[in-house]
Amino acid sequence: MEHIIRERGLWPERGLPVECLGFRCPDTRTDCCCRQLLFYQPDFVCQKSQLEELIASRGHLCDFYPKYHCELNFIEQYWGAAKLRFHVAGHARTLDEMEKKVVTCLDDVPLLQIRQFVSFLLFSSVMSDI
Ligand SMILES: [Zn+2]
């Protein structure tokens, strides 16, 4: 890290610690440690992950869901539709019956409906970026 920071002419005379204790950098500083300084360099900020680059290179849109917001994941809507079918289908008497019922209910959700869940969330995501 020091080598990269020196190459950019940003190495301070007083030096820099590798990282702040416990990764707890002060909120107002971007030059408290090597890690923070590099983290805010424009080329590091703009660098996409290898996964995002791979997905984009194949012509797909890579859209990560925010952490801990499962309601924004279309899988939840799909799962909800399957659970409704499971509830309506009646009681299963054995574990085998229940497993078959789960698979049937998951397969029962029409592909068009699943695509509508995805489309709605993608549309919502695009509209929130505008
Ligand atoms: Zn720091």
Side-chain angles (χ1 to χ4, degrees), residues 11 18 20 31 45 62 65 71 81-82 84 87 97-98:
W11 188 256
V18 173
C20 290
D31 62 348
V45 170
C62 180
Y65 298 120
E71 69 275 5
L84 175 66
H87 178 74
E97 237 180 83
M98 186 185 304

Side-chain angles (χ1 to χ4, degrees), residues 74 110-120:
F74 79 92
L111 185 58
L112 181 62
Q113 188 176 2
I114 297 169
R115 287 181 175 156
Q116 286 171 338
F117 296 149
V118 175
S119 299
F120 175 75

Side-chain angles (χ1 to χ4, degrees), residues 59-113:
H60 300 285
L61 174 69
C62 180
D63 190 19
F64 291 109
Y65 298 120
K67 286 182 181 175
Y68 314 113
H69 289 277
C70 55
E71 69 275 5
L72 298 177
N73 188 332
F74 79 92
I75 296 291
E76 288 295 319
Q77 294 176 334
Y78 170 48
W79 184 241
K83 284 198 304 192
L84 175 66
R85 284 167 171 74
F86 186 87
H87 178 74
V88 169
H91 190 74
R93 293 187 182 151
T94 65
L95 189 58
D96 283 344
E97 237 180 83
M98 186 185 304
E99 284 181 17
K100 286 175 186 164
K101 191 175 150 187
V102 168
V103 171
T104 301
C105 292
L106 286 168
D107 288 345
D108 236 21
V109 179
L111 185 58
L112 181 62
Q113 188 176 2

